[in-house]
Amino acid sequence: MPEKTQIPPERPEEPVPSEETPGEERREPAREAARRAAEILAQALSEAETLLGGAPPEQPAPTPAGVAAPAQGPSFEEINQLIRTLTEHFDRALDRLTEERRTLIDEVQSGSRALKDYIERAQDRMDDDRRHLSEQVSSLARANERLEKRLEELAASVEKLRTTPLPGKPAEEAPPPAEREPEFSPGEAPLTLAISAVPGFQGLMEAQRALMRLPSVEGASVERYFDGEARIVLTLREPVTARELVDTLSQATGQQAEIEESRPDALRLRVRFAAAAP
């Protein structure tokens, strides 16, 4: 009788990982559980193939005369026993696959709950930070308003102290505003400048050049010069006062010039050189 096919020893079932608790390490990822389930199914199929496979039975050789015939193949009872063994083996493999599936589902649900809790905690922290920032901005705005109000009060106090006279001292009267000096305005007619006691011809030329350098004077030409008397015609581009013209003459010649007559309405000005300028 041929040897019985040996049934591979049953693998010990792998321990089911316990549910994760706070503070412990997280279980292996879901893909690891799927890989283990695939390995279990592949091994079960391989073992079934080993049990059922093998070389086809050879034809028995003719028995010589006088020799007993060899025993026949496995009996019907042995085949049924083998089928029952395979069925039990596949049942156990399916149970292990079911357990792995349950483990995978638990891991996915646990991961989803952990992610949801993390998102909720992050949202709560963001809400707290936003509320704290809003309170700080409001506080800074109120402090800025108080500071501006205080600065306005200080400015008003300083102005009041500056305008309030000291006790026992009369308030100083503000000086009356100085009267504006009449100006010679440019027009169709030129300004006639008569000069007395001219300090020589050289002094007259220096006075003419100085007058032409004034921004308000466009041109200056000498019309008459005789016996210390001179007349200069000025073409104006901008208004000018008699004091500006006199100061220009004094600086150009080095002698003090004084106004004898000023007639802005008639565009006439008379000047006299008195003495050397200090």
Side-chain angles (χ1 to χ4, degrees):
M1 183 176 181
E3 296 180 359
K4 290 186 179 181
T5 305
Q6 296 293 328
I7 305 297
E10 183 179 337
R11 293 178 56 192
E13 296 185 2
E14 298 180 1
V16 179
S18 60
E19 186 178 356
E20 181 183 1
T21 56
E24 296 180 353
E25 296 183 357
R26 296 187 60 184
R27 295 174 299 183
E28 56 187 355
R31 59 177 177 271
E32 183 66 19
R35 184 184 63 80
R36 293 199 306 272
E39 289 178 356
I40 293 171
L41 182 58
Q43 185 176 0
L45 293 175
S46 177
E47 292 174 354
E49 183 180 358
T50 302
L51 293 173
L52 295 176
E58 299 179 355
Q59 294 294 333
T63 306
V67 178
Q72 298 296 326
S75 63
F76 180 75
E77 184 63 29
E78 291 175 345
I79 293 176
N80 286 340
Q81 181 64 29
L82 180 59
I83 292 175
R84 285 195 297 271
T85 303
L86 290 174
T87 303
E88 293 175 359
H89 184 76
F90 273 103
D91 288 342
R92 288 193 295 271
L94 289 176
D95 291 340
R96 293 169 62 187
L97 287 175
T98 303
E99 185 64 25
E100 292 294 337
R101 176 178 175 273
R102 188 181 303 111
T103 302
L104 179 60
I105 294 175
D106 292 341
E107 288 182 353
V108 172
Q109 292 178 349
S110 177
S112 300
R113 289 193 298 269
L115 180 60
K116 181 179 179 181
D117 294 341
Y118 176 79
I119 293 175
E120 291 178 353
R121 291 194 299 270
Q123 185 66 34
D124 293 340
R125 287 196 299 270
M126 290 177 62
D127 293 340
D128 293 340
D129 294 341
R130 189 183 302 108
R131 184 164 49 255
H132 183 63
L133 181 60
S134 300
E135 293 175 356
Q136 288 184 341
V137 171
S138 301
S139 178
L140 288 175
R142 291 193 296 269
N144 187 38
E145 292 177 357
R146 291 195 299 269
L147 180 60
E148 291 180 353
K149 184 177 180 180
R150 182 58 179 166
L151 289 176
E152 292 176 357
E153 293 175 354
L154 289 175
S157 300
V158 170
E159 182 66 21
K160 183 178 180 180
L161 290 175
R162 189 178 64 84
T163 57
T164 302
L166 296 176
K169 182 178 179 180
E172 297 181 357
E173 297 181 358
E179 296 183 0
R180 186 180 180 84
E181 184 179 357
E183 295 179 337
F184 294 91
S185 301
E188 296 181 359
L191 168 63
T192 301
L193 174 61
I195 306 176
S196 302
V198 177
F201 182 77
Q202 184 64 30
L204 179 61
M205 293 296 100
E206 293 176 354
Q208 181 187 11
R209 287 193 293 270
L211 291 172
M212 292 181 64
R213 287 194 294 268
L214 288 175
S216 56
V217 176
E218 184 174 357
S221 60
V222 179
E223 281 193 343
R224 179 177 179 276
Y225 175 64
F226 179 75
D227 195 17
E229 300 287 334
R231 184 168 62 225
I232 300 176
V233 177
L234 302 176
T235 303
L236 304 179
R237 63 165 64 95
E238 296 177 1
V240 64
T241 63
R243 178 54 54 189
E244 293 180 23
L245 297 174
V246 170
D247 292 342
T248 300
L249 294 175
S250 299
Q251 294 175 2
T253 60
Q255 295 189 11
Q256 184 66 37
E258 298 177 352
I259 299 175
E260 287 188 340
E261 182 185 16
S262 178
R263 296 279 305 277
D265 54 340
L267 292 177
R268 287 204 305 268
L269 175 64
R270 177 175 292 277
V271 178
R272 170 181 291 276
F273 283 102

